[in-house]
Amino acid sequence: MSFSFVTLTQVIGAKLYVAGNLVATGEVTSGSDERYKRIESHAEIDINTIANAPIINFKWTDREDDRVHLGSTAQYWYNTSLCNGVIPTNDDKLWTMGYGQIALAGLVSVAKKVVNHEERLQIVEEELAYYKEKSQMLEQQLNEYRRV
């Protein structure tokens, strides 16, 4: 069965629930315009949180789907600084999470850490070059004193 939602974007607050796979030939996007956001805080994930995240192969226990899926767990991410990317429930209903939001936050956090390490590495390399030059000058001076 196939549906076409040409005017779905014109309906503000519309929700689309899909049981099964959702396939798009274009992009699946959500609003992210800064002009419509009141920023409450900036989020960053500790790199150890990212490194320790469970990446699992699993089968759903509540559906007739024998396929092995790849993912993580909403409960893990709920206990991190990215808990806003998880929608828990107080009953036995399925917890959901925004994989895209969590992936973006993780990617940016890792990128910031890499940039920080590169900046620090550049400083160390410059200091090393300075001390190598200084060492060579001292070695030359020592050799000159030995000749005298």
Side-chain angles (χ1 to χ4, degrees):
M1 186 179 298
S2 176
F3 296 97
S4 178
F5 294 100
V6 176
T7 61
L8 185 61
T9 57
Q10 296 172 354
V11 180
I12 305 299
K15 294 181 180 180
L16 172 66
Y17 295 97
V18 176
N21 295 326
L22 175 64
V23 178
T25 57
E27 295 293 319
V28 177
T29 64
S30 63
S32 188
D33 192 320
E34 183 179 279
R35 297 171 300 170
Y36 296 93
K37 294 180 179 182
R38 184 181 69 235
I39 298 172
E40 300 291 327
S41 65
H42 291 275
E44 190 168 323
I45 314 172
D46 177 68
I47 199 156
N48 291 313
T49 301
I50 298 167
N52 292 320
I55 306 300
I56 57 174
N57 293 305
F58 65 94
K59 290 183 179 182
W60 289 109
T61 59
D62 64 339
R63 26 195 112 152
E64 293 183 27
D65 176 7
D66 202 34
R67 190 169 69 97
V68 176
H69 300 268
L70 174 68
S72 190
T73 66
Q75 285 78 358
Y76 175 83
W77 292 105
Y78 186 71
N79 292 310
T80 71
S81 60
L82 295 184
C83 59
N84 291 334
V86 176
I87 302 171
T89 58
N90 292 329
D91 52 21
D92 287 337
K93 291 184 181 176
L94 178 70
W95 283 31
T96 62
M97 62 185 234
Y99 275 92
Q101 295 168 330
I102 290 171
L104 175 63
L107 176 67
V108 171
S109 295
V110 169
K112 286 179 179 181
K113 194 66 128 174
V114 168
V115 167
N116 177 271
H117 284 304
E118 286 183 353
E119 290 170 351
R120 291 171 51 203
L121 180 60
Q122 182 177 352
I123 291 168
V124 169
E125 287 174 341
E126 289 170 0
E127 288 178 355
L128 178 62
Y130 169 80
Y131 286 114
K132 274 186 173 179
E133 185 180 325
K134 195 84 156 158
S135 173
Q136 289 171 348
M137 287 175 24
L138 290 172
E139 193 171 330
Q140 287 174 351
Q141 288 176 353
L142 182 61
N143 288 336
E144 289 175 16
Y145 288 132
R146 287 182 180 154
R147 281 186 236 146
V148 176

